[in-house]
Amino acid sequence: MEHRVTGKRTFIASTAGIVLACLALSSFTGPASAVPARTTVHISSLPRIYGYVESPKPVACGRNRVIQVFRVKPGEDRRVGTSRTRSFRGDWQWSIPSGTGNGRFYAKAKAKAGCRPGKSKIISVTPKSVSAEECPITSGEACWIGLADNPLQFSSGIGETCPNFGSKIGDCDGRGYPGSRAWSGNDANFHWSQQPDTTLRGVAYYVGDKTYLEGSVPRSDSARYSIRDAVTKGDDRHWCTPDLPGEKPGDLGGPLYINFIDQIRGATVRFHGYLTRKRPTGCWK
């Protein structure tokens, strides 16, 4: 009896030791989920400063995140603006509401529960020297696709019909001319379709099969043509519009301006405004 009891006690003591050892180990290592997620802050300028927050936990670390923008100064850097992120095309975008003048700037996100702090690279901002060349003939981050007095235009071909832009779907063949020469050509097509259960409509303009503007307008009577992707044949760069809050259609940082003009037969569509380089400097994805 004593031997069996002693053996039982020995087994219980061994089990208790294993449990205590596991508890002790967990107190040192902690669960993997407790490790704060990385926060990456991206910064750009049009010259208005804006950017994006990226993280393996995009919602937890990106949504409504407070971003502070600093100007590099001798002695102590000076905060020049504060922003909160907003949802934009599946990412988390931030921007400060006004220009900052010339200088060197960076952005920071403080640590929050479950998320590490983040700090962007330093960029130089010189508003007067912002690139405003014709797309895509530029080495900068922004260029124009058409100007107010020289818009890119699409015109349906002779004998071609084109539905009213208020129609749910439309497909028009024709040609593109003036504006940016890269998006001009005789083999052009303008088409759109209304998205299910919403007034938002996808709108695309193509020249051939490798030059295009793809985006959307919120309504058929809106001038806001938001570009999610744009490419020209022979150029591997992708372009878009960041649609910063408060910027008007056709303005730098805003969507393109679009004007659909119904005619007796066919239609003319006029575009003007600016595109910016896609990820990682411009409109991100």
Side-chain angles (χ1 to χ4, degrees):
M1 291 292 291
E2 290 182 1
H3 178 73
R4 287 197 296 272
V5 171
T6 302
K8 188 176 182 181
R9 285 175 179 170
T10 301
F11 174 76
I12 292 173
S14 299
T15 303
I18 293 171
V19 172
L20 289 172
C22 291
L23 289 173
L25 181 62
S26 65
S27 68
F28 283 104
T29 60
S33 60
V35 177
R38 169 180 51 82
T39 297
T40 302
V41 181
H42 299 274
I43 187 171
S44 187
S45 171
L46 289 175
R48 176 177 165 186
I49 295 175
Y50 75 107
Y52 298 83
V53 171
E54 184 184 22
S55 174
K57 296 181 178 179
V59 176
C61 298
R63 181 172 58 186
N64 205 33
R65 194 75 180 266
V66 176
I67 304 296
Q68 296 179 323
V69 178
F70 293 84
R71 183 198 301 269
V72 177
K73 301 286 286 185
E76 184 177 358
D77 298 342
R78 183 168 66 88
R79 188 175 69 187
V80 296
T82 301
S83 175
R84 285 185 181 270
T85 57
R86 65 164 186 147
S87 178
F88 180 72
R89 293 182 190 148
D91 292 304
W92 298 100
Q93 183 194 72
W94 60 269
S95 63
I96 56 177
S98 60
T100 54
N102 296 349
R104 300 170 68 227
F105 301 86
Y106 63 90
K108 291 173 61 176
K110 293 182 178 180
K112 60 175 288 188
C115 308
R116 298 177 191 171
K119 180 179 178 181
S120 74
K121 66 179 183 179
I122 296 174
I123 62 170
S124 295
V125 178
T126 53
K128 292 183 179 179
S129 64
V130 171
S131 172
E133 298 175 272
E134 178 183 334
C135 291
I137 309 171
T138 178
S139 58
E141 294 183 9
C143 60
W144 56 263
I145 193 168
L147 302 174
D149 58 354
N150 180 30
L152 171 66
Q153 299 187 73
F154 165 84
S155 180
S156 54
I158 298 175
E160 295 285 343
T161 59
C162 191
N164 183 286
F165 202 34
S167 303
K168 289 188 176 182
I169 60 173
D171 193 334
C172 317
D173 291 324
R175 66 186 184 98
Y177 55 98
S180 175
R181 290 164 291 178
W183 272 276
S184 297
N186 292 323
D187 185 21
N189 175 268
F190 180 78
H191 60 271
W192 69 91
S193 63
Q194 184 172 317
Q195 306 302 303
D197 304 319
T198 179
T199 57
L200 183 72
R201 54 189 57 216
V203 176
Y205 166 73
Y206 272 72
V207 179
D209 58 353
K210 295 183 179 180
T211 297
Y212 59 83
L213 298 167
E214 290 183 343
S216 61
V217 297
R219 304 177 313 276
S220 61
D221 61 348
S222 174
R224 302 182 66 87
Y225 187 19
S226 177
I227 303 298
R228 63 175 180 79
D229 193 25
V231 173
T232 60
K233 184 177 181 180
D235 191 304
D236 60 0
R237 292 174 295 179
H238 286 248
W239 306 80
C240 52
T241 57
D243 303 356
L244 300 180
E247 300 296 349
K248 298 177 181 179
D251 288 350
L252 187 62
L256 293 184
Y257 179 93
I258 184 171
N259 183 20
F260 186 98
I261 304 169
D262 283 310
Q263 297 172 325
I264 296 176
R265 284 195 175 188
T268 294
V269 186
R270 294 174 180 165
F271 318 88
H272 74 263
Y274 297 85
L275 300 176
T276 60
R277 293 279 300 276
K278 286 188 79 171
R279 183 177 184 164
T281 55
C283 354
W284 203 231
K285 295 178 183 177

